[in-house]
Amino acid sequence: MTTRAWFWCDGRLDNWEELRAELLDCGPRCADRSDAELVLNAYQTWGEDCLAHLDGDLRW
């Protein structure tokens, strides 16, 4: 089953490398190097609890 998600994100992650490594351990593939993709993958992985994993200046 394929799930599509869309969102708008303005900001930057300060913990990009750590978050990417943590997400790769959980399964999601990262197609590019954008903060927006990581935030979306974090939300799809942890739901609203993703906020505890994000460090940076973000609006969404």
Side-chain angles (χ1 to χ4, degrees), residues 5-49:
W6 179 93
F7 83 110
W8 174 86
C9 177
D10 180 24
R12 70 167 181 13
L13 288 170
D14 294 329
N15 65 332
W16 188 92
E17 290 181 15
E18 297 87 357
L19 181 61
R20 187 173 193 272
E22 192 173 357
L23 285 168
L24 289 174
D25 287 343
C26 293
R29 295 183 333 163
C30 298
D32 64 28
R33 301 184 63 84
S34 72
D35 289 355
E37 180 189 35
L38 287 181
V39 173
L40 180 58
N41 281 342
Y43 182 76
Q44 290 177 325
T45 300
W46 298 301
E48 291 182 11
D49 291 337

